[in-house]
Amino acid sequence: MSIQTIATRPFSDQRPGTSGLRKKVAVFMQPYYLDNFVQALLDVLNASGGPDVPRESGGSGGSGGEARALAGQTLILGGDGRFFNRPAIQTILKLAAANGLTRVVMGCGGILSTPAASAVIRRRQAFGGILLSASHNPGGADGDFGIKYNMSNGGPATETLTEAIYARTQVLNTLYCSDAQDVCIDKIGRLQVEHMQIEVIDPVGDYAAVMRSLFDFDLLSGLFASGFLVRVDAMNAVGGPYAKQILEGEIGAPLDSVVNFAPLEDFGGHHPDPNPANVDDLIYRMSSKGMGAPKLGAALDGDADRNLVMGRNFLVTPSDSLALLTQYARLIPAYQGGLAGVARSMPTSTAVDRVAKALGIPCYETPTGWKFFGNLLDAGLVTLCGEESYGTGSSHLREKDGLWAILFWLSVIAVTGQSMESLVRDHWKTYGRSYYSRHDYLDVPVEYVDTLMKDLHAKLPALAGQTFGRRTILVADDFAYTDPVDGSTSSHQGVRLVFDDASRLIFRVSGTSTEEATLRLYMERFEPDPACHCEPVALAVAELSALAEHISKVRVYTRRAGPTIAT
Ligand code: G1P
Ligand code: ZN
């Protein structure tokens, strides 16, 4: 076993997006593609001067014996189990061992859900973690793969760090890699590659301990003992083992509550993106009546950080979910002292803003992507946060957390005795309803989307103050954000039109698509009058949708008759 020095050449397309580097599996399988990115990451980390690490501490082999911050440090490693997860783990172990890392803690089988990875990093005070996932993107040999780095707070790397990694990929010419044999990652225990120790752990243990510390498991057991039924679709992705152990194993949900629970490399052909377009079976089951019908339905995504929740025949939007969790947070042991504040991404509806106002706590509006919540959580400015894209979470981790949201909803139901539908309808009565819809135009040629956004941008100065039918535009801008903690700025985060009736239209280009471009149009119509809270959503936002087309000509620019997905 020895460390090899291998010549390589940069790949020009290794800039991380909204959540790490995501590409087609075939791209990742090119010789050295993954290796280059990981080497660049390790180079940047080694040069960073980590916490409490003397600069002169060297370690064996690797990039020439200069001071390296990874010496003496632990990294966490795991992924969502999709195709290419296992070979990628072996490659990363060999690179990490050759670059002076002292210890890796990894999930058995190479498995760690994204929230579990965040939990392990935090509980074990690791230097950081490497997460292998393309989240809700399709899996399998023809699907997507992804890699991202999370920092010692358990949260996604900052833009400064991801930009440094990208810069390094563009000048990289040398890899340091052990020529050791592949190791067996399927047994809990200890291994070694070069001088690097590897601890293979139960992927669920740390995460389950965090859940036990937040929620009243006895209360939840009581709910199930009383006959409550839940149905959680894990979409044959990584969330299955977590949901099975915690819901069925620890709090007594009936044995068939978690379906599609075995993680498969191709997610069993499911598209593990928990939005209404992909959960027909769940929606069908939740429409059934009678004794055996579940009262709470939920679905998780590929890496188990997203959640969709619904009651009987009643879908809850992620924006409403965040607002209701905020409203009822004091019922949960971990939040009974109240919330410091809340945060939502800019396109997420303003439902949570109204609850925050009533509670007298601040509500922050951030750009899209969980990384923007990290500083707010670290500084103790917010306790809960969420995004319209089926993500909710809290200060317990630095990632969104699908199963946490399910446990939270179950707790609220257990304490209040109300159904999801009646909880949400009561909320609308008190705070008004934000009708919400997102239209996605997938795989549009990049130049069409670029031209659309450029032309829309040029129209912005003239749009403010204009009246369209019964609505006048109050704000027309390209959202920019200044982080209140470190003062860093992020611009061009989406075009935003805010109307005088508090309705909003938002146009944004996705940062996670792996082919061509994805344009997202977000529509929010605020309706304070309880007499108008029963319209079908598509009808309720039809006028806004027509207005969006009138102003932006999305269908003309994209050469599409309509959105690929409307949720
Ligand atoms: C999407 C979601 C965003 C989420 C991200 C990672 O990013 O819209 O809210 O944080 O996935 O899960 P987008 O493709 O819009 O850039
Ligand atoms: Zn995800």
Side-chain angles (χ1 to χ4, degrees):
M1 186 154 65
S2 67
I3 291 165
Q4 309 293 307
T5 302
I6 301 163
T8 188
R9 277 212 305 263
F11 292 90
S12 60
D13 62 346
Q14 294 200 319
R15 174 176 261 135
T18 312
S19 186
L21 183 69
R22 283 190 201 169
K23 301 282 173 195
K24 289 273 154 216
V25 164
V27 173
F28 265 104
M29 285 176 81
Q30 297 172 82
Y32 299 150
Y33 191 88
L34 171 71
D35 313 53
N36 270 25
F37 188 78
V38 174
Q39 182 67 54
L41 165 66
L42 296 170
D43 285 349
V44 169
L45 296 181
N46 259 328
S48 71
D52 312 315
V53 178
R55 295 291 297 159
E56 61 275 11
S57 64
S60 67
S63 44
E66 70 272 24
R68 286 173 303 145
L70 287 176
Q73 298 295 354
T74 299
L75 281 186
I76 308 305
L77 177 61
D80 64 15
R82 66 178 61 222
F83 187 85
F84 198 55
N85 194 72
R86 295 175 70 88
I89 294 264
Q90 299 289 350
T91 301
I92 293 167
L93 288 174
K94 289 171 201 171
L95 286 159
N99 281 274
L101 184 68
T102 300
R103 194 162 160 260
V104 166
V105 175
M106 59 173 289
C108 191
I111 292 287
L112 278 178
S113 76
T114 293
S118 187
V120 178
I121 294 170
R122 289 168 70 79
R123 276 170 64 85
R124 295 174 190 245
Q125 295 172 343
F127 188 84
I130 299 176
L131 282 64
L132 305 176
S133 172
S135 185
H136 54 289
N137 294 14
D142 300 326
D144 293 345
F145 189 76
I147 177 167
K148 70 171 185 168
Y149 179 71
N150 279 25
M151 305 177 303
S152 59
N153 69 351
T158 56
E159 271 191 341
T160 318
L161 184 49
T162 57
E163 277 302 300
I165 298 164
Y166 171 65
R168 181 71 193 145
T169 63
Q170 297 310 291
V171 295
L172 193 82
N173 54 23
T174 313
L175 299 172
Y176 301 98
C177 190
S178 168
D179 64 358
Q181 297 283 307
D182 283 2
V183 290
C184 168
I185 58 174
D186 296 308
K187 219 172 105 209
I188 290 169
R190 287 172 199 277
L191 305 162
Q192 185 159 344
V193 175
E194 305 290 346
H195 292 284
M196 188 179 80
Q197 306 293 322
I198 302 168
E199 190 183 347
V200 182
I201 61 166
D202 162 24
V204 184
D206 287 41
Y207 176 81
V210 175
M211 292 304 109
R212 271 180 235 120
S213 75
L214 301 173
F215 298 103
D216 180 348
F217 273 29
D218 290 339
L219 170 82
L220 296 173
S221 299
L223 179 71
F224 288 114
S226 73
F228 189 89
L229 295 177
V230 64
R231 184 179 177 90
V232 175
D233 189 339
M235 303 236 193
N236 288 120
V238 80
Y242 296 86
K244 263 237 166 264
Q245 177 175 320
I246 294 173
L247 294 174
E248 297 180 13
E250 300 201 24
I251 57 174
L255 274 186
D256 51 1
S257 299
V258 183
V259 298
N260 299 318
F261 56 84
L264 301 175
E265 288 200 330
D266 64 350
F267 305 128
H270 294 109
H271 185 181
D273 182 356
N275 70 54
N278 295 327
V279 296
D280 284 352
D281 181 60
L282 183 73
I283 290 175
Y284 169 72
R285 306 270 174 170
M286 295 304 293
S287 67
S288 65
K289 295 196 176 69
M291 291 290 287
K295 291 185 176 155
L296 185 151
L300 300 168
D301 75 329
D303 59 338
D305 58 353
R306 293 184 178 206
N307 73 90
L308 170 143
V309 284
M310 64 183 300
R312 270 198 191 156
N313 254 326
F314 188 81
L315 280 159
V316 182
T317 69
S319 299
D320 279 347
S321 181
L322 176 64
L324 272 107
L325 299 188
T326 302
Q327 186 179 342
Y328 289 104
R330 277 183 183 270
L331 303 185
I332 309 298
Y335 315 114
Q336 61 189 0
L339 306 174
V342 288
R344 63 163 172 84
S345 64
M346 183 273 281
T348 304
S349 98
T350 51
V352 71
D353 302 37
R354 296 188 287 273
V355 178
K357 194 165 171 222
L359 292 174
I361 57 173
C363 177
Y364 296 85
E365 183 176 41
T366 62
T368 294
W370 209 261
K371 61 189 168 207
F372 292 101
F373 296 137
N375 277 351
L376 300 174
L377 291 163
D378 283 349
L381 296 175
V382 305
T383 315
L384 298 192
C385 41
E387 297 192 274
E388 52 64 44
S389 52
Y390 297 85
T392 25
S394 92
S395 51
H396 69 291
L397 298 177
R398 294 297 179 272
E399 290 281 2
K400 52 192 174 243
D401 188 346
L403 192 49
W404 167 88
I406 297 171
L407 294 168
F408 200 138
W409 269 102
L410 286 169
S411 306
V412 174
I413 291 166
V415 176
T416 61
Q418 281 182 258
S419 71
M420 296 190 79
E421 176 165 358
S422 86
L423 286 162
V424 175
R425 289 199 182 278
D426 281 357
H427 167 88
W428 291 340
K429 244 181 248 159
T430 311
Y431 295 98
R433 176 174 183 183
S434 279
Y435 283 104
Y436 194 85
S437 180
R438 185 174 107 180
H439 287 181
D440 293 330
Y441 292 77
L442 304 184
D443 298 333
V444 181
V446 175
E447 61 273 22
Y448 294 2
V449 171
D450 282 351
T451 316
L452 161 72
M453 291 307 282
K454 205 169 108 263
D455 291 357
L456 187 57
H457 209 260
K459 288 181 204 157
L460 286 181
L463 281 173
Q466 273 198 49
T467 301
F468 297 91
R470 61 193 171 103
R471 293 189 174 88
T472 301
I473 298 181
L474 293 184
V475 180
D477 66 1
D478 191 347
F479 183 63
Y481 178 67
T482 302
D483 186 301
V485 180
D486 65 15
S488 60
T489 55
S490 307
S491 48
H492 303 300
Q493 297 296 322
V495 165
R496 184 169 66 154
L497 306 179
V498 185
F499 296 86
D500 55 353
D501 66 345
S503 294
R504 301 190 310 158
L505 285 175
I506 291 143
F507 304 83
R508 205 185 137 259
V509 183
S510 156
T512 58
S513 53
T514 55
E515 270 179 330
E516 300 293 354
T518 293
L519 180 83
R520 305 201 195 284
L521 162 61
Y522 310 80
M523 294 169 279
E524 174 180 5
R525 180 189 131 200
F526 178 57
E527 182 50 72
D529 182 0
C532 305
H533 286 169
C534 287
E535 278 179 62
V537 176
L539 203 64
V541 299
E543 207 177 87
L544 274 177
S545 172
L547 186 51
E549 186 56 29
H550 176 73
I551 294 173
S552 67
K553 308 271 182 298
V554 167
R555 294 174 193 205
V556 178
Y557 280 91
T558 58
R559 278 81 155 168
R560 297 279 173 86
T564 324
I565 303 172
T567 51

